[in-house]
Amino acid sequence: EKSNISYKENNKNIESKINSEIDRSNLSDEKSNKSENKIEREFTGNFDCLKKIYLKDEYEILKDSDAYIEIYAYGQCLEYPEDYKRYPMLVVAGGGYDFVSDREKLPSAFAFLAHGFNCVSLNYSCKTAYPIPHIEVACAMDYIHNHADKYGFRVDKKCMVGYSAGGHLVASYSTVYKEIAELAHLNPDHIKPYFQILSYPVISLGEYSHEGTRINISNNDSAIIDKLSIEKHITSDYTPTYIWTTNDDT
Protein backbone atom coordinates (compact mmCIF):
# COMPACT_ATOMS: atom_id res chain seq x y z
CA GLU A 1 0.00 0.00 0.00
CA LYS A 2 2.86 2.39 0.86
CA SER A 3 4.43 1.58 -2.51
CA ASN A 4 1.19 2.48 -4.33
CA ILE A 5 0.91 5.75 -2.42
CA SER A 6 4.51 6.61 -3.23
CA TYR A 7 3.94 5.79 -6.92
CA LYS A 8 0.85 8.02 -7.10
CA GLU A 9 2.55 10.87 -5.26
CA ASN A 10 5.57 10.64 -7.55
CA ASN A 11 3.38 10.86 -10.68
CA LYS A 12 1.43 13.74 -9.12
CA ASN A 13 4.67 15.62 -8.41
CA ILE A 14 5.94 15.14 -11.95
CA GLU A 15 2.61 16.23 -13.47
CA SER A 16 2.57 19.28 -11.21
CA LYS A 17 6.10 20.18 -12.27
CA ILE A 18 5.25 19.89 -15.96
CA ASN A 19 2.11 22.00 -15.56
CA SER A 20 3.99 24.70 -13.66
CA GLU A 21 6.69 24.74 -16.34
CA ILE A 22 4.01 25.18 -19.03
CA ASP A 23 2.35 28.01 -17.09
CA ARG A 24 5.65 29.71 -16.32
CA SER A 25 6.92 29.53 -19.86
CA ASN A 26 3.67 31.03 -21.22
CA LEU A 27 4.42 29.50 -24.58
CA SER A 28 1.72 29.07 -27.18
CA ASP A 29 1.56 25.90 -29.28
CA GLU A 30 3.62 26.32 -32.42
CA LYS A 31 2.09 25.26 -35.70
CA SER A 32 4.55 23.23 -37.74
CA ASN A 33 4.88 24.04 -41.42
CA LYS A 34 4.54 20.28 -41.94
CA SER A 35 1.43 19.60 -39.83
CA GLU A 36 -0.72 22.25 -38.20
CA ASN A 37 -1.52 19.90 -35.30
CA LYS A 38 2.12 19.33 -34.38
CA ILE A 39 2.83 20.61 -30.87
CA GLU A 40 6.28 21.64 -29.74
CA ARG A 41 7.23 23.15 -26.39
CA GLU A 42 10.67 23.83 -24.98
CA PHE A 43 11.33 24.25 -21.27
CA THR A 44 14.28 25.77 -19.47
CA GLY A 45 13.97 23.76 -16.25
CA ASN A 46 15.35 20.33 -15.43
CA PHE A 47 12.43 18.83 -17.33
CA ASP A 48 13.67 19.89 -20.74
CA CYS A 49 11.08 18.97 -23.30
CA LEU A 50 7.60 17.71 -23.93
CA LYS A 51 6.92 17.23 -27.62
CA LYS A 52 4.27 15.70 -29.83
CA ILE A 53 5.46 14.67 -33.28
CA TYR A 54 3.36 13.17 -36.07
CA LEU A 55 5.30 10.38 -37.75
CA LYS A 56 3.84 11.22 -41.17
CA ASP A 57 5.83 14.46 -41.00
CA GLU A 58 9.04 12.44 -40.75
CA TYR A 59 8.37 9.27 -42.77
CA GLU A 60 6.84 9.16 -46.24
CA ILE A 61 5.64 5.59 -45.75
CA LEU A 62 3.28 6.87 -43.02
CA LYS A 63 1.85 9.76 -45.03
CA ASP A 64 -1.69 8.44 -44.49
CA SER A 65 -1.19 7.63 -40.80
CA ASP A 66 -2.20 9.77 -37.82
CA ALA A 67 0.22 8.00 -35.49
CA TYR A 68 2.32 10.24 -33.29
CA ILE A 69 4.93 10.08 -30.58
CA GLU A 70 5.19 12.14 -27.40
CA ILE A 71 8.64 12.76 -25.96
CA TYR A 72 9.32 13.22 -22.25
CA ALA A 73 13.00 14.00 -21.75
CA TYR A 74 15.15 15.47 -19.01
CA GLY A 75 17.90 17.90 -19.94
CA GLN A 76 21.50 17.70 -18.92
CA CYS A 77 21.99 17.79 -15.15
CA LEU A 78 25.14 19.56 -13.94
CA GLU A 79 25.67 16.76 -11.41
CA TYR A 80 26.19 14.23 -14.21
CA PRO A 81 29.11 13.96 -16.65
CA GLU A 82 28.74 16.19 -19.70
CA ASP A 83 28.23 13.22 -22.05
CA TYR A 84 25.72 11.44 -19.77
CA LYS A 85 22.76 9.95 -21.67
CA ARG A 86 19.67 8.05 -20.59
CA TYR A 87 18.22 4.79 -21.85
CA PRO A 88 15.26 5.57 -24.14
CA MET A 89 12.02 3.75 -23.31
CA LEU A 90 9.31 3.44 -25.96
CA VAL A 91 5.95 3.15 -24.18
CA VAL A 92 3.25 1.22 -26.10
CA ALA A 93 -0.11 1.20 -24.32
CA GLY A 94 -2.87 -1.33 -24.91
CA GLY A 95 -6.52 -1.16 -25.88
CA GLY A 96 -7.12 -4.26 -28.00
CA TYR A 97 -5.92 -2.42 -31.14
CA ASP A 98 -9.26 -0.62 -30.74
CA PHE A 99 -7.88 2.47 -28.95
CA VAL A 100 -4.68 3.52 -27.15
CA SER A 101 -5.12 3.61 -23.39
CA ASP A 102 -4.15 6.88 -21.68
CA ARG A 103 -4.23 4.99 -18.37
CA GLU A 104 -1.27 2.87 -19.49
CA LYS A 105 0.58 5.54 -21.46
CA LEU A 106 1.23 8.70 -19.45
CA PRO A 107 1.65 7.18 -15.94
CA SER A 108 4.07 4.62 -17.38
CA ALA A 109 6.14 7.30 -19.12
CA PHE A 110 6.30 9.35 -15.91
CA ALA A 111 7.30 6.30 -13.85
CA PHE A 112 10.18 5.36 -16.16
CA LEU A 113 11.21 9.00 -16.41
CA ALA A 114 11.50 9.10 -12.63
CA HIS A 115 13.73 6.01 -12.73
CA GLY A 116 16.33 7.39 -15.10
CA PHE A 117 14.89 6.82 -18.58
CA ASN A 118 13.95 9.37 -21.21
CA CYS A 119 10.61 8.28 -22.61
CA VAL A 120 8.75 8.25 -25.90
CA SER A 121 5.11 7.15 -25.98
CA LEU A 122 3.55 5.93 -29.22
CA ASN A 123 -0.03 6.51 -30.30
CA TYR A 124 -0.25 3.91 -33.05
CA SER A 125 -3.02 3.28 -35.58
CA CYS A 126 -5.95 1.24 -34.28
CA LYS A 127 -8.44 -0.96 -36.13
CA THR A 128 -5.69 -1.19 -38.73
CA ALA A 129 -4.21 -4.56 -39.65
CA TYR A 130 -0.55 -5.61 -39.83
CA PRO A 131 1.89 -4.25 -40.91
CA ILE A 132 0.90 -0.59 -40.30
CA PRO A 133 1.18 -0.55 -36.46
CA HIS A 134 4.51 -2.39 -36.69
CA ILE A 135 5.84 0.12 -39.22
CA GLU A 136 4.84 2.88 -36.80
CA VAL A 137 6.84 1.20 -34.02
CA ALA A 138 9.82 0.92 -36.39
CA CYS A 139 9.62 4.60 -37.33
CA ALA A 140 9.37 5.58 -33.66
CA MET A 141 12.51 3.54 -32.92
CA ASP A 142 14.25 5.09 -35.92
CA TYR A 143 13.29 8.58 -34.74
CA ILE A 144 14.78 7.81 -31.32
CA HIS A 145 18.00 6.69 -32.99
CA ASN A 146 18.25 9.71 -35.29
CA HIS A 147 17.56 12.25 -32.52
CA ALA A 148 19.64 10.67 -29.78
CA ASP A 149 21.91 13.68 -29.27
CA LYS A 150 19.02 16.13 -29.15
CA TYR A 151 17.12 14.25 -26.45
CA GLY A 152 19.97 12.56 -24.60
CA PHE A 153 19.17 8.99 -25.73
CA ARG A 154 21.63 6.10 -25.71
CA VAL A 155 21.23 4.70 -29.22
CA ASP A 156 22.58 1.27 -28.26
CA LYS A 157 20.05 0.78 -25.43
CA LYS A 158 16.64 1.35 -26.99
CA CYS A 159 14.04 -0.31 -24.75
CA MET A 160 10.30 -0.91 -25.13
CA VAL A 161 7.45 -1.56 -22.72
CA GLY A 162 4.04 -2.75 -23.91
CA TYR A 163 0.74 -3.33 -22.11
CA SER A 164 -1.92 -5.89 -23.12
CA ALA A 165 -2.40 -5.46 -26.90
CA GLY A 166 0.52 -3.02 -26.76
CA GLY A 167 2.49 -5.90 -25.27
CA HIS A 168 1.51 -7.96 -28.29
CA LEU A 169 2.64 -5.17 -30.62
CA VAL A 170 6.00 -4.93 -28.85
CA ALA A 171 6.52 -8.71 -28.64
CA SER A 172 5.53 -9.38 -32.25
CA TYR A 173 7.59 -6.42 -33.45
CA SER A 174 10.65 -8.18 -32.05
CA THR A 175 9.95 -11.16 -34.31
CA VAL A 176 9.41 -9.14 -37.51
CA TYR A 177 11.49 -5.95 -37.18
CA LYS A 178 14.00 -7.05 -39.85
CA GLU A 179 11.19 -7.65 -42.30
CA ILE A 180 9.63 -4.30 -41.35
CA ALA A 181 12.99 -2.56 -41.82
CA GLU A 182 13.14 -3.83 -45.39
CA LEU A 183 9.52 -2.86 -46.05
CA ALA A 184 9.99 0.66 -44.65
CA HIS A 185 13.52 1.16 -46.04
CA LEU A 186 15.02 1.55 -42.56
CA ASN A 187 18.33 0.35 -41.16
CA PRO A 188 17.52 -2.74 -39.04
CA ASP A 189 20.32 -1.89 -36.62
CA HIS A 190 18.66 1.48 -35.94
CA ILE A 191 15.30 -0.04 -35.02
CA LYS A 192 16.43 -3.14 -33.14
CA PRO A 193 15.22 -3.22 -29.51
CA TYR A 194 17.79 -3.78 -26.77
CA PHE A 195 15.33 -4.96 -24.11
CA GLN A 196 11.57 -5.17 -23.66
CA ILE A 197 8.99 -5.44 -20.90
CA LEU A 198 5.72 -7.21 -21.66
CA SER A 199 2.95 -6.27 -19.24
CA TYR A 200 -0.01 -8.73 -19.19
CA PRO A 201 0.50 -9.13 -22.95
CA VAL A 202 -1.56 -10.86 -25.59
CA ILE A 203 0.84 -13.52 -26.91
CA SER A 204 -1.10 -15.83 -29.19
CA LEU A 205 -3.63 -14.96 -31.89
CA GLY A 206 -4.76 -18.59 -31.93
CA GLU A 207 -7.44 -20.48 -30.04
CA TYR A 208 -6.94 -18.75 -26.69
CA SER A 209 -6.40 -15.23 -27.99
CA HIS A 210 -8.28 -12.07 -27.06
CA GLU A 211 -10.81 -11.97 -29.89
CA GLY A 212 -10.90 -8.21 -30.45
CA THR A 213 -7.12 -8.00 -30.54
CA ARG A 214 -6.91 -10.81 -33.09
CA ILE A 215 -9.57 -9.35 -35.39
CA ASN A 216 -8.23 -5.78 -35.32
CA ILE A 217 -4.61 -6.65 -36.08
CA SER A 218 -5.20 -9.52 -38.54
CA ASN A 219 -8.64 -9.06 -40.12
CA ASN A 220 -8.82 -12.81 -39.39
CA ASP A 221 -6.26 -13.45 -42.13
CA SER A 222 -4.81 -16.88 -41.29
CA ALA A 223 -1.31 -15.99 -42.54
CA ILE A 224 -1.16 -12.89 -40.31
CA ILE A 225 -2.59 -14.82 -37.35
CA ASP A 226 0.25 -17.34 -37.72
CA LYS A 227 2.91 -14.64 -38.23
CA LEU A 228 1.83 -12.68 -35.15
CA SER A 229 1.31 -15.66 -32.82
CA ILE A 230 4.52 -14.93 -30.96
CA GLU A 231 4.91 -18.34 -29.29
CA LYS A 232 5.63 -19.81 -32.75
CA HIS A 233 8.52 -17.50 -33.56
CA ILE A 234 10.84 -17.30 -30.54
CA THR A 235 14.49 -17.84 -31.50
CA SER A 236 17.79 -17.73 -29.64
CA ASP A 237 18.37 -14.11 -30.69
CA TYR A 238 14.93 -12.89 -29.62
CA THR A 239 14.95 -9.61 -27.69
CA PRO A 240 15.73 -10.09 -23.96
CA THR A 241 12.36 -9.88 -22.24
CA TYR A 242 10.83 -9.37 -18.81
CA ILE A 243 7.21 -10.52 -18.75
CA TRP A 244 4.65 -10.08 -15.99
CA THR A 245 0.95 -10.56 -15.52
CA THR A 246 -1.73 -10.43 -12.81
CA ASN A 247 -3.64 -13.06 -10.79
CA ASP A 248 -6.93 -12.30 -12.55
CA ASP A 249 -5.50 -11.93 -16.04
CA THR A 250 -7.67 -13.61 -18.66
Side-chain angles (χ1 to χ4, degrees):
E1 187 178 346
K2 287 183 179 179
S3 174
N4 288 336
I5 292 172
S6 174
Y7 173 82
K8 290 176 182 176
E9 287 179 348
N10 185 50
N11 283 341
K12 206 179 270 187
N13 290 338
I14 295 174
E15 288 185 80
S16 174
K17 184 171 184 180
I18 294 172
N19 289 333
S20 66
E21 289 285 358
I22 293 173
D23 292 339
R24 186 163 59 85
S25 63
N26 196 29
L27 293 176
S28 59
D29 293 346
E30 297 179 3
K31 289 187 177 181
S32 165
N33 57 5
K34 295 179 180 177
S35 171
E36 67 177 26
N37 291 322
K38 180 174 173 182
I39 298 171
E40 186 169 310
R41 294 189 179 102
E42 293 283 2
F43 302 121
T44 56
N46 189 31
F47 191 87
D48 236 11
C49 51
L50 169 60
K51 295 191 175 185
K52 181 176 180 179
I53 296 167
Y54 283 85
L55 292 174
K56 64 185 175 184
D57 290 343
E58 308 291 333
Y59 298 93
E60 177 65 21
I61 194 171
L62 295 178
K63 64 182 180 180
D64 296 321
S65 166
D66 287 326
Y68 61 86
I69 56 175
E70 292 175 314
I71 300 173
Y72 310 90
Y74 272 102
Q76 182 62 39
C77 175
L78 295 178
E79 297 174 33
Y80 293 150
E82 190 174 342
D83 60 350
Y84 178 80
K85 293 186 177 181
R86 290 174 168 235
Y87 284 32
M89 177 65 78
L90 181 67
V91 178
V92 186
Y97 291 109
D98 191 59
F99 66 97
V100 177
S101 170
D102 287 332
R103 175 178 62 87
E104 293 167 336
K105 183 179 66 171
L106 197 59
S108 180
F110 285 164
F112 281 103
L113 188 70
H115 284 84
F117 292 82
N118 275 343
C119 295
V120 177
S121 67
L122 172 64
N123 264 58
Y124 50 91
S125 296
C126 295
K127 297 181 180 178
T128 304
Y130 174 87
I132 297 301
H134 293 73
I135 292 174
E136 291 165 352
V137 173
C139 290
M141 293 287 275
D142 187 70
Y143 188 92
I144 289 170
H145 185 95
N146 293 337
H147 295 80
D149 288 339
K150 182 174 183 179
Y151 297 115
F153 297 139
R154 284 192 61 174
V155 293
D156 59 330
K157 305 292 183 184
K158 292 186 284 292
C159 304
M160 305 188 296
V161 57
Y163 298 85
S164 192
H168 177 266
L169 180 52
V170 164
S172 57
Y173 172 82
S174 284
T175 69
V176 299
Y177 79 89
K178 292 179 182 177
E179 179 180 327
I180 295 297
E182 185 174 352
L183 183 63
H185 306 293
L186 299 172
N187 185 329
D189 292 333
H190 291 183
I191 65 171
K192 179 181 180 180
Y194 171 73
F195 179 78
Q196 65 188 18
I197 301 171
L198 307 180
S199 309
Y200 43 93
V202 175
I203 293 296
S204 178
L205 295 186
E207 181 181 358
Y208 300 106
S209 179
H210 178 261
E211 184 178 10
T213 296
R214 181 184 68 246
I215 292 171
N216 283 329
I217 194 61
S218 73
N219 281 335
N220 275 336
D221 182 307
S222 59
I224 295 178
I225 287 173
D226 182 78
K227 178 186 283 289
L228 300 185
S229 289
I230 300 148
E231 74 280 8
K232 298 181 178 181
H233 304 287
I234 302 300
T235 61
S236 60
D237 63 347
Y238 186 72
T239 304
T241 302
Y242 179 83
I243 185 169
W244 67 278
T245 186
T246 62
N247 287 335
D248 61 351
D249 189 29
T250 56

